[in-house]
Amino acid sequence: MHDHDAPDSHLPLEADAELTYYEQRVEAIQALLIEKGLLSADDVRRAVEDMDARSPAVGARVIARAWVDPHFKQHLLADAKAAIATLGIDVDTWSTLVAVENTPTIHNVVVCTLCSCYPRSLLGVPPDWYKSLNYRARVVKEPRTVLEEFGLELAPDIEVRVYDSTADMRYLVIPQRPAGTEGMSEGALAELVTRDSMIGVTQAQEPSP
Amino acid sequence: MRIRVATPSGHYRTPTYIQGKVGVIEAVHGAFRNPETLAYGGDGRPKQTLYLVRFDQTHIWAHAEPVPFCQNDRLLIDIYEHWLEPAPEE
Amino acid sequence: MPGVHDRGGWPDVGPINKAEHELSFWEKRTDALLVLLSSADRRVIRVDELRRAIESLPPEAYETMGYYERWISAIETLLIEKNVLTKAEIDRKAEQIVEQRTIETTE
């Protein structure tokens, strides 16, 4: 097991295991950058903590608000970062964000065919499959087949819109609010908003009966 | 608009599969520093306008093997100004 | 010929492997190094440069390496290119780290 809370990132993490080539390179580069004063061990620890703190829960909170508050949703669609800032979330360092809405007639799904652009501020680190060569190759060419692999079958008359984000924009899908969720609290609604539904490969979860 | 066809050498942000295809500008994102020069330590200036361009799936993959996509499926992709050129008249 | 990273529509690909793994500590640290090196107050490496360096990997390496293996290789390439570190320096430090661990684990 890796110790994710290692207080001192210099300490060997697996004293009994040999370091792989790449682990050696990371350790060596980090140690040298610290020696040269370009960064500190504390900086690295904080950056890892920041990374751990970002999760799809942030995105889910935004979506749940959009489901219950039509004005917020309009704001989100018009200027996503400004809208999210009104929730007290610090968006200063974020890339430009565009929210796209799923409707009964339009389904959106996001990819980055050239690398792995992803709205990390809202969703955390991307899943392995999002970064995979196969997803990147296929979803632009046969989106419906790919969505079926994720268990999502869409009627032929629904317009599937694939967003290939190539550089400066990040895309967030606003999934459709599931039926039967009238009267649910915003917090309970957020529980239905999965990471995959905000990428667009699935719908939001149905409420448990 | 049509997407320019260029022999990709070095860092480029316009995928090959969309080059030479004709699409419609869906939105204008604004001006951004050019990632294709930033990638080599440049300052990315002059800034390039970034457009969201929409394509019909059937136009992109017309010669591909049959795959189940429907007539009104679309692909939307961010393209920098210097990759766009006027489309020839139909 | 598209570059090896230019995957849209790439032919002959199979199903998508949906298995996920929790990032290990070295992967998180690689990510952290990039975030720090590209931060507004440091600007040692730009993300655009990272992408360019990743795409410049030999095609076979690009296809077989893990995601953060590509990242740390690209970070190393760029730090050397920018004269922040030298390859010899990194090699020496890596050896020291391995030796140090050997001593610690055999004590």
Side-chain angles (χ1 to χ4, degrees):
Chain A
M1 271 302 287
H2 288 279
D3 182 359
H4 289 252
D5 302 308
D8 180 348
S9 49
H10 277 310
L11 285 177
L13 299 160
E14 295 178 55
D16 52 346
E18 280 192 18
L19 291 181
T20 65
Y21 171 78
Y22 294 105
E23 285 171 324
Q24 291 173 27
R25 301 317 270 186
V26 178
E27 289 251 359
I29 290 169
Q30 180 183 326
L32 289 167
L33 292 173
I34 291 171
E35 280 173 23
K36 288 176 192 285
L38 275 159
L39 41 87
S40 70
D42 249 9
D43 293 332
V44 178
R45 185 179 48 75
R46 267 197 301 271
V48 170
E49 280 172 7
D50 286 349
M51 186 179 181
D52 285 337
R54 286 192 293 266
S55 83
V58 183
R61 189 180 146 207
V62 172
I63 302 298
R65 173 60 63 89
W67 282 350
V68 299
D69 181 347
H71 292 291
F72 177 78
K73 187 167 84 180
Q74 285 316 311
H75 194 190
L76 186 66
L77 288 167
D79 185 348
K81 271 174 74 173
I84 291 168
T86 66
L87 301 181
I89 296 171
D90 181 9
V91 300
D92 283 354
T93 58
W94 293 18
S95 301
T96 314
L97 183 72
V98 177
V100 294
E101 184 185 14
N102 286 351
T103 69
T105 55
I106 292 177
H107 183 90
N108 301 286
V109 57
V110 181
V111 64
C112 169
T113 59
L114 294 176
C115 49
S116 55
C117 299
Y118 188 77
R120 286 168 158 237
S121 315
L122 284 163
L123 303 186
V125 289
D128 291 321
W129 58 259
Y130 183 86
K131 303 181 285 191
S132 73
L133 303 182
N134 287 1
Y135 179 74
R136 289 160 51 193
R138 291 181 54 209
V139 75
V140 287
K141 190 170 180 182
E142 39 174 7
R144 286 175 184 263
T145 315
V146 169
L147 294 176
E148 277 170 28
E149 282 178 34
F150 282 88
L152 180 59
E153 246 178 274
L154 296 169
D157 57 333
I158 290 176
E159 177 183 336
V160 176
R161 292 163 77 97
V162 181
Y163 281 82
D164 187 355
S165 51
T166 56
D168 285 296
M169 295 291 135
R170 299 291 176 273
Y171 290 92
L172 171 74
V173 175
I174 307 177
Q176 286 190 79
R177 180 172 174 168
T181 56
E182 300 75 14
M184 278 176 71
S185 74
E186 209 174 310
L189 286 169
E191 299 280 313
L192 304 177
V193 185
T194 60
R195 175 197 70 198
D196 289 3
S197 71
M198 292 182 278
I199 302 173
V201 291
T202 63
Q203 313 275 28
Q205 274 175 23
E206 301 287 328
S208 34
Chain B
M1 300 301 287
R2 185 166 70 180
I3 308 303
R4 208 160 53 77
V5 182
T7 308
S9 71
H11 181 74
Y12 59 99
R13 298 305 296 174
T14 295
T16 309
Y17 76 85
I18 210 68
Q19 292 180 20
K21 309 297 182 192
V22 175
V24 174
I25 292 177
E26 172 97 358
V28 183
H29 290 309
F32 290 85
R33 290 203 276 163
N34 183 354
E36 294 170 359
T37 55
L38 285 174
Y40 295 92
D43 65 3
R45 295 178 196 281
K47 285 188 173 182
Q48 294 288 327
T49 303
L50 182 61
Y51 297 90
L52 179 64
V53 189
R54 186 183 75 233
F55 297 85
D56 290 345
Q57 283 281 17
T58 48
H59 287 180
I60 305 173
W61 308 108
H63 304 293
E65 62 271 32
V67 286
F69 56 73
C70 292
Q71 291 304 309
N72 52 357
D73 287 355
R74 309 267 191 270
L75 182 116
L76 295 101
I77 180 164
D78 294 331
I79 303 287
Y80 290 89
E81 189 169 14
H82 61 285
W83 278 93
L84 297 175
E85 60 189 18
E89 295 293 323
E90 294 276 320
Chain C
M1 266 294 283
V4 67
H5 64 288
D6 186 359
R7 302 308 286 201
W10 201 272
D12 303 322
V13 286
I16 294 155
N17 179 359
K18 293 194 281 293
E20 297 182 27
H21 86 290
E22 187 80 20
L23 293 188
S24 58
F25 197 67
W26 80 267
E27 293 175 306
K28 290 186 180 184
R29 255 198 294 171
T30 301
D31 201 293
L33 286 179
L34 192 264
V35 168
L36 293 168
L37 289 169
S38 63
S39 68
D41 54 337
R42 290 192 188 81
R43 277 286 144 81
V44 179
I45 291 177
R46 294 200 68 103
V47 173
D48 308 278
E49 294 173 307
L50 181 86
R51 292 188 185 121
R52 183 256 298 167
I54 289 173
E55 293 160 9
S56 306
L57 286 165
E60 202 187 291
Y62 183 95
E63 291 189 329
T64 53
M65 286 165 76
Y67 186 73
Y68 283 106
E69 292 174 355
R70 298 199 286 256
W71 274 42
I72 193 61
S73 301
I75 290 170
E76 178 173 335
T77 301
L78 291 166
L79 290 173
I80 293 168
E81 178 183 303
K82 290 166 180 284
N83 299 316
V84 177
L85 303 178
T86 65
K87 177 148 190 322
E89 217 174 3
I90 302 170
D91 289 344
R92 206 157 47 233
K93 182 60 83 178
E95 272 172 38
Q96 281 172 13
I97 288 167
V98 172
E99 279 167 23
Q100 184 62 29
R101 285 171 55 90
T102 315
I103 296 165
E104 282 167 11
T105 51
T106 51
E107 265 171 2

